[in-house]
Amino acid sequence: MTTEAPAGTVAGDQITREELQLATRNHGMPLEAMRYDVTPIGLHYLLVHYDIPFVDGEAWHLDVDGDVERPLRLTIDDLRSRETETRPVTMECAGNGRAQLSPRALSQPWLVEAIGTGEWTGTPLWPVLEDAGLSPDVVDIVFVGLDSGVEGAAAQHYQRSLTPQEAREEGALLVYELNGVPLPPQHGYPLRLLVPGWYGMTSVKWLSRITASNTLFAGYQQERAYRLRHDADEVGEPLTRMRVRSLMVPPGVPDFFTRERFVRPGPVTLTGRAWSGAGTISRVQVSADGGSTWTDADVDDAAVPYAWQEWRLRWDAQVGTHDLISRATDSTGATQPLAAEWNLGGYAVNSVQHVTVTVTDAPPGI
Ligand SMILES: Nc1nc2c(c(=O)[nH]1)N[C@H]1C(S)=C(S)[C@@H](COP(=O)(O)O)O[C@H]1N2
Ligand SMILES: [Mo]
């Protein structure tokens, strides 16, 4: 008996041409780049729904309008002359892990690599909204990107909303620099929203307009996409904060094509990063035997909340094949599940990563 995959999903491991087309545009972060506290530009993952807009930064401005007392039009210089904040923030795509599910949603086929930590510079969002003066009847604030396309059969600009409470309390920034330089085109030049601790879809790139509204925003990226549902008819739970997750830098060297790992026998330092939308990580456990036994890794203290923490554990690699796993627990006590929990859109998959390594003296020279 065969069970049919729901509409918009596909079962099995075969990648479709459209998924490949998305995957070549939207790259992940090579996991070895977890060695850097701040991900170098170009190694941070990338997710662009439509096309990267070509923006003339001199002519660009940000409009703050809608249900406000004083509509604002701000240039980049206006934003740069406001209060400045620089902070490392780990960002993850809500679809990270999607391609581990079967059936999987036909979309960007991430395995585990849709992550990165930028050092973002910008100005706090809330004081800008205070200057504009939100009317008391505002229930949603809509952030509109310059990029547009067609999704769910509807033409749209990429746009997402936050409630006034979220805009005030989540530490959101309007950012114009990444790692000390103006935002590169692919990461939102000249301005993006950044909501620390939330999945990436909230952090609208190429921001051109912020509109305060006295009705709930019902745009595609809010009402249809980025919701946890098991059935297309469900309203679903909106995605907000990142679930707890850890990843390991795959040790040793890879086979070029299969990416299978080879490690020499002897002591090896296993290392990686862990993060959570709850703020900080309290524990990382590592198993070298597929989850039968676990050892606590050393975890660096959190420098600031919402930036990943490095962990490490010395492992005595014995000849043979081993299934390495890391498992993080955050400050709320939430722990990564051992198996992925299926949902229709393939969102918020935070199950543990398995790294299979062959410990051998051959091939020599490694
Ligand atoms: N305007 C706009 N903003 C956007 C997107 C987009 O396609 N257009 N993609 C979102 C998604 S789904 C993610 S995961 C993050 C990715 O940010 P990055 O490409 O800078 O890593 O940007 C978000 N902001
Ligand atoms: Mo995303």
Side-chain angles (χ1 to χ4, degrees):
M1 195 187 89
T2 56
T3 44
E4 218 175 293
T9 72
V10 66
D13 276 345
Q14 297 279 310
I15 290 290
T16 65
R17 183 162 189 96
E18 288 82 3
E19 289 173 293
L20 174 62
Q21 188 166 247
L22 282 174
T24 56
R25 289 182 53 84
N26 297 307
H27 63 78
M29 190 196 71
L31 295 185
E32 60 272 29
M34 280 191 292
R35 294 208 174 84
Y36 302 92
D37 288 337
V38 171
T39 310
I41 289 177
L43 295 181
H44 193 286
Y45 87 91
L46 193 66
L47 198 293
V48 178
H49 279 236
Y50 312 128
D51 291 348
I52 297 170
F54 181 75
V55 185
D56 174 357
E58 298 292 311
W60 175 94
H61 52 253
L62 173 71
D63 282 315
V64 184
D65 60 15
D67 213 357
V68 295
E69 285 160 32
R70 294 168 295 278
L72 306 175
R73 174 163 285 192
L74 303 170
T75 64
I76 274 294
D77 287 342
D78 294 334
L79 291 158
R80 281 182 177 272
S81 66
R82 300 180 66 93
E83 178 190 346
T84 305
E85 192 176 322
T86 296
R87 58 185 292 181
V89 173
T90 298
M91 199 191 293
E92 177 177 21
C93 180
N96 198 15
R98 173 181 292 131
Q100 298 175 37
L101 303 181
S102 183
R104 67 178 183 280
L106 283 166
S107 184
Q108 169 72 22
W110 298 120
L111 290 166
V112 295
E113 60 293 273
I115 51 152
T117 298
E119 188 164 68
W120 304 94
T121 299
T123 194
L125 167 68
W126 185 247
V128 173
L129 296 178
E130 281 187 316
D131 285 0
L134 296 183
S135 300
D137 58 353
V138 169
V139 293
D140 247 349
I141 301 161
V142 185
F143 298 83
V144 185
L146 285 168
D147 53 330
S148 59
V150 179
E151 214 174 339
Q156 58 197 278
H157 280 271
Y158 186 91
Q159 46 192 320
R160 291 268 315 175
S161 68
L162 293 174
T163 64
Q165 189 184 355
E166 289 162 350
R168 189 176 63 243
E169 292 176 3
E170 297 295 311
L173 297 175
L174 297 171
V175 306
Y176 42 76
E177 282 182 10
L178 172 59
N179 299 2
V181 297
L183 289 182
Q186 68 273 28
H187 291 296
Y189 177 82
L191 189 78
R192 81 179 300 171
L193 179 66
L194 182 75
V195 184
W198 287 47
Y199 282 117
M201 74 281 157
T202 316
S203 295
V204 175
K205 301 193 272 190
W206 311 293
L207 192 62
S208 68
R209 182 177 292 273
I210 301 175
T211 302
S213 174
N214 59 11
T215 57
L216 284 175
F217 174 62
Y220 182 85
Q221 309 299 343
Q222 205 82 26
E223 287 296 303
R224 284 310 303 166
Y226 301 111
R227 280 178 176 260
L228 281 178
R229 46 167 88 82
H230 291 83
D231 191 290
D233 298 333
E234 271 175 60
V235 175
E237 275 291 300
L239 289 153
T240 58
R241 296 178 168 278
M242 299 180 294
R243 288 184 177 169
V244 60
R245 193 173 204 156
S246 64
L247 290 171
M248 183 183 300
V249 174
V253 298
D255 174 83
F256 161 69
F257 185 63
T258 63
R259 306 290 306 169
E260 189 191 344
R261 312 297 306 185
F262 297 100
V263 173
R264 282 177 80 85
V268 176
T269 301
L270 301 176
T271 177
R273 302 274 174 172
W275 65 94
S276 168
T280 58
I281 295 295
S282 52
R283 185 180 195 191
V284 175
Q285 297 162 282
V286 174
S287 174
D289 55 13
S292 301
T293 58
W294 297 89
T295 308
D296 275 315
D298 281 335
V299 185
D300 284 352
D301 289 341
V304 287
Y306 311 120
W308 61 19
Q309 289 161 249
E310 191 166 34
W311 57 264
R312 67 198 65 77
L313 181 74
R314 221 171 120 98
W315 174 52
D316 187 24
Q318 311 269 345
V319 170
T321 296
H322 307 274
D323 179 9
L324 307 179
I325 310 176
S326 66
R327 186 181 203 191
T329 301
D330 70 20
S331 53
T332 69
T335 299
Q336 290 182 261
L338 295 177
E341 293 155 17
W342 188 88
N343 66 89
L344 189 60
Y347 295 122
V349 174
N350 68 331
S351 47
V352 296
Q353 168 204 21
H354 290 257
V355 182
T356 305
V357 299
T358 298
V359 177
T360 174
D361 279 316
I366 59 171

